[in-house]
Amino acid sequence: MDKDSGKAFDLRLFRRLMAHTRPYRLTFYGVALAAILLSVFSVIIPYLVQKIIDNAIMVPNAEMLLNLSVIMLGVLLAQVISQLLFNYYANWLGEMVIKDVRIDLFKHMLGFRMKYFDSSSLGVLVTRAVQDMQRIGEIFSQGFFMIVADLLKMLAAAAMMLYLNWKLALIVFVIMPVILYATRLFQKAMKVAFIDVRAEVSNLNSFVQERITGMKIVQLFTRERIESENFRGINEKHQNAWLKTVWYNSIFFPIAEIVSSVAIGLVVWYGGLQNVANISVDIAGTLFAFILYIEILFRPLRQIADKFNTLQMGMVAANRVFKILDTQSNIQDVGTIEKGDVRGNLKFSDVRFGYVENEEVLHGVTFEVQAGETIAIVGATGAGKSTIINLLNRFYEINSGSILVDDIDIKDFKLSSLRAQIAVVLQDVFLFADTIENNISLKNSSITLDTIKAAADEIGVDEFISSLPGGYQYNVKERGTMLSSGQRQLIAFLRAYVSNPSILVLDEATSSVDTYSEQLIQRATERITEGRTSIIIAHRLATIKKADKIIVMDAGQIVETGTHKQLLKRKGYYSKLYEAQFMEEEVA
């Protein structure tokens, strides 16, 4: 499946795609039958025309003219019905296949480890799941079945031409290699061109999505002109990729028209000579039928080239989608333990980890947390604080060492069971474009609105939510832009609280908020950490001072451990951090 090979058709990839039609095999066979009927009906009509001209017009016969006309009307009606069924169910089958493949793709991506998303473009992944899927659907609606139907029409037309007049048929067949060779060159050129098109579409989607997401940064740093120029360059590459396909079409289709016209001219010329020489006296109907058959024979070749373009674009898209489906970047969920009563004892033993190979971030981290304890982890940016949380949730796999929950290695838990016991409140809260209720429950049917309201009242955020238009039904829009950062934090606290976790993680969850929101968050923190194991990536002084234990990290190592008072007395690394970061806040 080398994307740069220029192969006109990848049979292995096509077989893999066809495997997704198995649940709809009856529809598949029905569409195939409709394609066969269309080919039969298409060649019967010129034959009936030939009979009408030779047997009912050249030799006047009103009764035969009526009978043949009625038969032709019946064939035309049958052709229309077959065409309708063919078009509808070919499209229906395509939609069913892309529905199934899209579900498989999204489900597969849901299981990817964070490392995959760290190195993948969001815009490219969206393109694969949306636009590329539509291209795959077109394989069935406008590609494969159309090509099969056209090929059957061509074979039937060739057979009828040989039957009616083999000499005229040979004239047409002599011309055929020219258009076949042109079609072959056209297909190979278009395969490469469409690979370029899909690549540029992905680049364009990725660029636009990133700039729209980061529009605030673009405007704050007055990069509008620069980004506009960058977009102009990417858009031009996208345009040029498409123009290449237009150029190939502009060359091929006039050639196909010329070859078809030459074939018709030669047939009329040769047939006319036979009539002039009295070699054939009933050539009129045959010539008329041949003109129709040439159209049936050559028009599909032009269409097949066009449909093959659609097929190739779909195959390129399928190749890209299947590459994601074949990507083995999932966390190995081979654990068998499911526990709903985790006490919350944690133990990190000589944990080593690096996001990039041979570049460790954590260097042998070891610590323990007893059930119900609240510990704070402090350190400078890049010390490895958030990495510990990522490893606890198994977003990444450790290089060596072990992480235990209730003396059980986290790898022995079923992944869903492990994460169900851990709730995380991040500094950068993500909210979906949905109601506050749905953002808190995440549409978990076991978490009712009454449960949410009761929990909100317990941690002191019910008044804030109720003051919003619509209350719990207030739509926060994409990424929660209708709320302040402090309000988003409060929603995240409530979301964590209603999930009733055994282990709670607050990753600098009280930073960058206003004074009022901070007071609410402090109250919420005290309530939701009560009686459960809590890990706080520290930012606010009040939270750190009340922790049962403080772990101080520097450059991926634990350098100090103790309570707030114990660490201040040591006059070590924590004391310096305290003086540099927290003294001003304490005085205030």
Side-chain angles (χ1 to χ4, degrees):
M1 288 193 291
D2 181 7
K3 69 177 184 177
D4 297 318
S5 63
K7 289 166 58 179
F9 194 74
D10 191 324
L11 185 59
R12 186 168 68 90
L13 179 63
F14 184 71
R15 285 175 177 170
R16 183 175 179 181
L17 190 59
M18 284 293 111
H20 289 274
T21 66
R22 288 171 186 165
Y24 315 104
R25 57 172 60 91
L26 288 178
T27 302
F28 183 91
Y29 294 143
V31 174
L33 176 61
I36 294 171
L37 292 175
L38 283 174
S39 66
V40 172
F41 294 144
S42 65
V43 298
I44 287 177
I45 293 172
Y47 180 73
L48 289 174
V49 169
Q50 185 257 340
K51 290 299 181 184
I52 288 173
I53 292 174
D54 288 343
N55 300 331
I57 295 178
M58 299 299 293
V59 180
N61 188 326
E63 183 180 354
M64 181 172 288
L65 178 63
L66 177 62
N67 292 336
L68 291 176
S69 297
V70 170
I71 293 173
M72 180 177 287
L73 179 62
V75 172
L76 287 171
L77 287 174
Q79 186 180 31
V80 168
I81 294 172
S82 298
Q83 189 71 57
L84 186 152
L85 294 174
F86 176 82
N87 290 339
Y88 177 79
Y89 284 105
N91 280 274
W92 183 90
L93 183 62
E95 290 301 319
M96 292 300 105
V97 168
I98 64 175
K99 178 201 69 174
D100 293 345
V101 176
R102 185 180 282 131
I103 290 173
D104 290 344
L105 177 66
F106 189 70
K107 184 178 179 180
H108 190 63
M109 289 195 297
L110 285 176
F112 281 164
R113 63 185 72 184
M114 290 299 109
K115 186 176 181 179
Y116 179 86
F117 296 106
D118 292 342
S119 58
S120 299
S121 166
L122 179 61
V124 169
L125 293 177
V126 171
T127 300
R128 300 292 174 266
V130 181
Q131 290 181 314
D132 281 344
M133 286 298 175
Q134 290 305 126
R135 294 296 183 186
I136 291 174
E138 290 172 359
I139 290 177
F140 300 93
S141 62
Q142 301 178 35
F144 172 70
F145 285 116
M146 291 289 188
I147 291 173
V148 170
D150 286 343
L151 286 173
L152 290 174
K153 289 179 183 179
M154 291 171 62
L155 289 173
M160 289 300 297
M161 290 166 76
L162 286 170
Y163 171 75
L164 290 176
N165 190 313
W166 65 270
K167 293 181 179 179
L168 292 178
L170 287 180
I171 293 175
V172 176
F173 296 160
V174 167
I175 304 295
M176 284 285 290
V178 176
I179 195 168
L180 289 174
Y181 181 69
T183 302
R184 175 63 175 169
L185 293 179
F186 179 66
Q187 291 166 354
K188 293 182 69 174
M190 290 299 283
K191 172 71 179 292
V192 177
F194 279 131
I195 289 173
D196 293 339
V197 166
R198 298 311 303 157
E200 294 305 329
V201 167
S202 294
N203 291 337
L204 189 63
N205 285 345
S206 181
F207 182 90
V208 172
Q209 187 156 2
E210 284 186 351
R211 270 56 186 184
I212 291 176
T213 303
M215 187 58 69
K216 184 178 292 185
I217 299 299
V218 172
Q219 294 183 358
L220 278 174
F221 290 89
T222 62
R223 288 187 54 88
E224 292 91 339
R225 186 182 61 81
I226 296 173
E227 296 299 345
S228 179
E229 289 300 320
N230 291 338
F231 178 77
R232 187 187 301 275
I234 292 175
N235 195 38
E236 188 172 332
K237 289 180 180 179
H238 177 262
Q239 169 195 285
N240 291 337
W242 274 108
L243 285 177
K244 188 184 293 184
T245 68
V246 173
W247 171 246
Y248 291 147
N249 279 299
S250 300
I251 295 175
F252 173 74
F253 286 104
I255 291 175
E257 288 291 339
I258 290 171
V259 174
S260 176
S261 299
V262 169
I264 292 174
L266 289 174
V267 165
V268 171
W269 170 75
Y270 185 76
L273 286 181
Q274 286 187 312
N275 187 61
V276 170
N278 291 322
I279 297 174
S280 177
V281 295
D282 59 349
I283 197 67
T286 301
L287 282 178
F288 202 95
F290 257 76
I291 292 173
L292 296 177
Y293 280 131
I294 288 173
E295 279 298 306
I296 294 174
L297 191 65
F298 282 74
R299 185 177 64 244
L301 273 177
R302 299 193 296 273
Q303 292 179 347
I304 283 175
D306 191 34
K307 300 308 178 186
F308 208 92
N309 296 342
T310 301
L311 179 62
Q312 287 184 137
M313 286 191 74
M315 295 292 281
V316 170
N319 188 23
R320 294 174 183 271
V321 169
F322 285 139
K323 279 184 177 179
I324 297 179
L325 285 170
D326 291 339
T327 299
Q328 298 301 317
S329 186
N330 299 64
I331 294 291
Q332 295 301 308
D333 189 9
V334 295
T336 57
I337 297 175
E338 290 189 81
K339 292 189 67 175
D341 57 346
V342 170
R343 296 189 305 277
N345 293 312
L346 296 180
K347 184 177 181 180
F348 277 62
S349 299
D350 194 28
V351 173
R352 295 180 177 274
F353 170 75
Y355 293 100
V356 181
E357 191 174 356
N358 299 322
E359 293 183 21
E360 276 192 354
V361 174
L362 298 184
H363 311 288
V365 170
T366 300
F367 67 89
E368 290 188 46
V369 185
Q370 299 302 316
E373 275 191 333
T374 296
I375 70 164
I377 304 177
V378 302
T381 302
K385 306 185 297 297
S386 295
T387 298
I388 288 176
I389 308 310
N390 288 333
L391 297 180
L392 177 61
N393 282 280
R394 289 196 69 198
F395 288 144
Y396 302 87
E397 296 284 29
I398 61 177
N399 296 346
S400 63
S402 64
I403 302 175
L404 307 181
V405 174
D406 288 357
D407 298 321
I408 302 172
D409 195 304
I410 59 173
K411 293 182 179 179
D412 295 331
F413 284 93
K414 290 193 69 173
L415 196 57
S416 59
S417 178
L418 172 69
R419 291 177 178 171
Q421 299 299 324
I422 304 170
V424 181
V425 180
L426 299 171
Q427 178 181 357
D428 183 18
V429 177
F430 183 90
L431 298 180
F432 295 95
D434 207 333
T435 64
I436 287 180
E437 178 189 354
N438 288 336
N439 269 290
I440 294 170
S441 68
L442 297 178
K443 299 188 178 180
N444 184 338
S445 58
S446 65
I447 301 175
T448 65
L449 180 58
D450 289 337
T451 302
I452 294 172
K453 287 182 176 180
D457 186 60
E458 286 182 33
I459 66 174
V461 299
D462 179 67
E463 183 179 349
F464 139 64
I465 297 175
S466 299
S467 68
L468 296 172
Y472 289 85
Q473 304 310 313
Y474 181 65
N475 192 312
V476 300
K477 304 302 180 182
E478 187 174 1
R479 300 183 67 88
T481 54
M482 300 304 291
L483 302 177
S484 69
S485 60
Q487 291 173 329
R488 291 197 295 271
Q489 288 285 2
L490 291 170
I491 298 300
F493 268 80
L494 186 52
R495 179 162 61 191
Y497 187 52
V498 298
S499 68
N500 193 27
S502 300
I503 301 169
L504 176 68
V505 178
L506 306 180
D507 189 354
E508 301 206 32
T510 57
S511 64
S512 304
V513 298
D514 57 85
T515 303
Y516 175 71
S517 295
E518 181 184 351
Q519 292 173 352
L520 290 176
I521 288 172
Q522 291 297 344
R523 176 183 172 183
T525 301
E526 292 175 6
R527 185 68 184 88
I528 69 176
T529 58
E530 185 179 332
R532 57 167 53 91
T533 303
S534 303
I535 302 175
I536 301 173
I537 305 297
H539 186 85
R540 296 294 187 186
L541 177 60
T543 306
I544 297 172
K545 292 174 69 175
K546 293 181 181 181
D548 297 310
K549 182 168 54 179
I550 299 173
I551 295 173
V552 186
M553 297 191 66
D554 181 39
Q557 294 179 312
I558 295 176
V559 294
E560 289 180 326
T561 303
T563 65
H564 175 68
K565 290 182 179 180
Q566 289 170 343
L567 292 173
L568 284 181
K569 287 180 181 180
R570 293 179 188 174
K571 300 296 182 180
Y573 190 86
Y574 176 79
S575 179
K576 294 178 182 178
L577 279 178
Y578 175 78
E579 292 174 2
Q581 300 179 27
F582 305 140
M583 184 66 76
E584 183 178 323
E585 187 173 329
E586 187 177 61
V587 171

PDB file of all heavy atoms in Angstrom, residues 121-135:
ATOM      1  N   SER A 121      -1.409  15.483  14.346  1.00  0.00           N
ATOM      2  CA  SER A 121      -2.137  16.718  14.070  1.00  0.00           C
ATOM      3  C   SER A 121      -3.630  16.498  14.247  1.00  0.00           C
ATOM      4  O   SER A 121      -4.206  15.558  13.679  1.00  0.00           O
ATOM      5  CB  SER A 121      -1.849  17.188  12.642  1.00  0.00           C
ATOM      6  OG  SER A 121      -2.759  18.184  12.241  1.00  0.00           O
ATOM      7  N   LEU A 122      -4.270  17.356  15.026  1.00  0.00           N
ATOM      8  CA  LEU A 122      -5.702  17.256  15.248  1.00  0.00           C
ATOM      9  C   LEU A 122      -6.470  17.423  13.937  1.00  0.00           C
ATOM     10  O   LEU A 122      -7.425  16.701  13.663  1.00  0.00           O
ATOM     11  CB  LEU A 122      -6.145  18.322  16.256  1.00  0.00           C
ATOM     12  CG  LEU A 122      -7.633  18.370  16.595  1.00  0.00           C
ATOM     13  CD1 LEU A 122      -8.092  17.062  17.222  1.00  0.00           C
ATOM     14  CD2 LEU A 122      -7.919  19.532  17.545  1.00  0.00           C
ATOM     15  N   GLY A 123      -6.032  18.385  13.112  1.00  0.00           N
ATOM     16  CA  GLY A 123      -6.709  18.616  11.836  1.00  0.00           C
ATOM     17  C   GLY A 123      -6.661  17.405  10.918  1.00  0.00           C
ATOM     18  O   GLY A 123      -7.636  17.084  10.236  1.00  0.00           O
ATOM     19  N   VAL A 124      -5.534  16.703  10.902  1.00  0.00           N
ATOM     20  CA  VAL A 124      -5.391  15.508  10.072  1.00  0.00           C
ATOM     21  C   VAL A 124      -6.333  14.410  10.562  1.00  0.00           C
ATOM     22  O   VAL A 124      -6.998  13.734   9.766  1.00  0.00           O
ATOM     23  CB  VAL A 124      -3.928  15.013  10.084  1.00  0.00           C
ATOM     24  CG1 VAL A 124      -3.826  13.629   9.441  1.00  0.00           C
ATOM     25  CG2 VAL A 124      -3.036  15.997   9.341  1.00  0.00           C
ATOM     26  N   LEU A 125      -6.419  14.208  11.875  1.00  0.00           N
ATOM     27  CA  LEU A 125      -7.302  13.183  12.423  1.00  0.00           C
ATOM     28  C   LEU A 125      -8.757  13.494  12.113  1.00  0.00           C
ATOM     29  O   LEU A 125      -9.539  12.587  11.805  1.00  0.00           O
ATOM     30  CB  LEU A 125      -7.086  13.067  13.935  1.00  0.00           C
ATOM     31  CG  LEU A 125      -5.734  12.520  14.383  1.00  0.00           C
ATOM     32  CD1 LEU A 125      -5.630  12.518  15.907  1.00  0.00           C
ATOM     33  CD2 LEU A 125      -5.499  11.116  13.840  1.00  0.00           C
ATOM     34  N   VAL A 126      -9.145  14.762  12.176  1.00  0.00           N
ATOM     35  CA  VAL A 126     -10.509  15.152  11.838  1.00  0.00           C
ATOM     36  C   VAL A 126     -10.787  14.873  10.358  1.00  0.00           C
ATOM     37  O   VAL A 126     -11.853  14.378   9.990  1.00  0.00           O
ATOM     38  CB  VAL A 126     -10.748  16.642  12.163  1.00  0.00           C
ATOM     39  CG1 VAL A 126     -12.092  17.111  11.602  1.00  0.00           C
ATOM     40  CG2 VAL A 126     -10.705  16.868  13.670  1.00  0.00           C
ATOM     41  N   THR A 127      -9.803  15.171   9.505  1.00  0.00           N
ATOM     42  CA  THR A 127      -9.947  14.892   8.072  1.00  0.00           C
ATOM     43  C   THR A 127     -10.171  13.407   7.825  1.00  0.00           C
ATOM     44  O   THR A 127     -11.020  13.020   7.017  1.00  0.00           O
ATOM     45  CB  THR A 127      -8.701  15.358   7.304  1.00  0.00           C
ATOM     46  OG1 THR A 127      -8.526  16.765   7.484  1.00  0.00           O
ATOM     47  CG2 THR A 127      -8.839  15.065   5.812  1.00  0.00           C
ATOM     48  N   ARG A 128      -9.425  12.571   8.533  1.00  0.00           N
ATOM     49  CA  ARG A 128      -9.568  11.121   8.361  1.00  0.00           C
ATOM     50  C   ARG A 128     -10.974  10.668   8.769  1.00  0.00           C
ATOM     51  O   ARG A 128     -11.576   9.821   8.095  1.00  0.00           O
ATOM     52  CB  ARG A 128      -8.533  10.373   9.214  1.00  0.00           C
ATOM     53  CG  ARG A 128      -7.103  10.695   8.887  1.00  0.00           C
ATOM     54  CD  ARG A 128      -6.687  10.183   7.504  1.00  0.00           C
ATOM     55  NE  ARG A 128      -5.343  10.659   7.196  1.00  0.00           N
ATOM     56  CZ  ARG A 128      -5.074  11.765   6.517  1.00  0.00           C
ATOM     57  NH1 ARG A 128      -6.067  12.503   6.059  1.00  0.00           N
ATOM     58  NH2 ARG A 128      -3.832  12.122   6.273  1.00  0.00           N
ATOM     59  N   ALA A 129     -11.486  11.211   9.865  1.00  0.00           N
ATOM     60  CA  ALA A 129     -12.761  10.744  10.402  1.00  0.00           C
ATOM     61  C   ALA A 129     -13.966  11.319   9.674  1.00  0.00           C
ATOM     62  O   ALA A 129     -15.063  10.765   9.781  1.00  0.00           O
ATOM     63  CB  ALA A 129     -12.860  11.083  11.892  1.00  0.00           C
ATOM     64  N   VAL A 130     -13.783  12.403   8.932  1.00  0.00           N
ATOM     65  CA  VAL A 130     -14.929  13.059   8.292  1.00  0.00           C
ATOM     66  C   VAL A 130     -14.806  13.011   6.762  1.00  0.00           C
ATOM     67  O   VAL A 130     -15.529  12.273   6.090  1.00  0.00           O
ATOM     68  CB  VAL A 130     -15.072  14.517   8.776  1.00  0.00           C
ATOM     69  CG1 VAL A 130     -16.279  15.176   8.114  1.00  0.00           C
ATOM     70  CG2 VAL A 130     -15.214  14.566  10.299  1.00  0.00           C
ATOM     71  N   GLN A 131     -13.878  13.786   6.206  1.00  0.00           N
ATOM     72  CA  GLN A 131     -13.803  13.898   4.749  1.00  0.00           C
ATOM     73  C   GLN A 131     -13.341  12.608   4.082  1.00  0.00           C
ATOM     74  O   GLN A 131     -13.895  12.197   3.058  1.00  0.00           O
ATOM     75  CB  GLN A 131     -12.863  15.046   4.374  1.00  0.00           C
ATOM     76  CG  GLN A 131     -13.435  16.427   4.700  1.00  0.00           C
ATOM     77  CD  GLN A 131     -12.498  17.551   4.306  1.00  0.00           C
ATOM     78  OE1 GLN A 131     -11.307  17.504   4.575  1.00  0.00           O
ATOM     79  NE2 GLN A 131     -13.045  18.574   3.695  1.00  0.00           N
ATOM     80  N   ASP A 132     -12.333  11.962   4.649  1.00  0.00           N
ATOM     81  CA  ASP A 132     -11.856  10.721   4.047  1.00  0.00           C
ATOM     82  C   ASP A 132     -12.942   9.646   4.066  1.00  0.00           C
ATOM     83  O   ASP A 132     -13.011   8.808   3.165  1.00  0.00           O
ATOM     84  CB  ASP A 132     -10.611  10.218   4.772  1.00  0.00           C
ATOM     85  CG  ASP A 132      -9.355  10.976   4.344  1.00  0.00           C
ATOM     86  OD1 ASP A 132      -9.413  11.645   3.293  1.00  0.00           O
ATOM     87  OD2 ASP A 132      -8.331  10.909   5.041  1.00  0.00           O
ATOM     88  N   MET A 133     -13.779   9.660   5.086  1.00  0.00           N
ATOM     89  CA  MET A 133     -14.867   8.690   5.154  1.00  0.00           C
ATOM     90  C   MET A 133     -15.849   8.877   4.000  1.00  0.00           C
ATOM     91  O   MET A 133     -16.353   7.904   3.432  1.00  0.00           O
ATOM     92  CB  MET A 133     -15.595   8.820   6.491  1.00  0.00           C
ATOM     93  CG  MET A 133     -14.827   8.273   7.662  1.00  0.00           C
ATOM     94  SD  MET A 133     -14.529   6.497   7.489  1.00  0.00           S
ATOM     95  CE  MET A 133     -13.491   6.234   8.922  1.00  0.00           C
ATOM     96  N   GLN A 134     -16.136  10.120   3.658  1.00  0.00           N
ATOM     97  CA  GLN A 134     -17.042  10.371   2.548  1.00  0.00           C
ATOM     98  C   GLN A 134     -16.445   9.866   1.239  1.00  0.00           C
ATOM     99  O   GLN A 134     -17.155   9.346   0.384  1.00  0.00           O
ATOM    100  CB  GLN A 134     -17.356  11.862   2.449  1.00  0.00           C
ATOM    101  CG  GLN A 134     -18.219  12.387   3.590  1.00  0.00           C
ATOM    102  CD  GLN A 134     -19.514  11.608   3.738  1.00  0.00           C
ATOM    103  OE1 GLN A 134     -19.812  11.115   4.817  1.00  0.00           O
ATOM    104  NE2 GLN A 134     -20.276  11.496   2.673  1.00  0.00           N
ATOM    105  N   ARG A 135     -15.136  10.004   1.098  1.00  0.00           N
ATOM    106  CA  ARG A 135     -14.470   9.487  -0.100  1.00  0.00           C
ATOM    107  C   ARG A 135     -14.594   7.969  -0.174  1.00  0.00           C
ATOM    108  O   ARG A 135     -14.769   7.394  -1.257  1.00  0.00           O
ATOM    109  CB  ARG A 135     -12.993   9.888  -0.095  1.00  0.00           C
ATOM    110  CG  ARG A 135     -12.758  11.391  -0.216  1.00  0.00           C
ATOM    111  CD  ARG A 135     -13.250  11.920  -1.533  1.00  0.00           C
ATOM    112  NE  ARG A 135     -12.957  13.328  -1.683  1.00  0.00           N
ATOM    113  CZ  ARG A 135     -13.372  14.074  -2.699  1.00  0.00           C
ATOM    114  NH1 ARG A 135     -14.123  13.551  -3.639  1.00  0.00           N
ATOM    115  NH2 ARG A 135     -13.062  15.351  -2.772  1.00  0.00           N
TER     116      ARG A 135
END
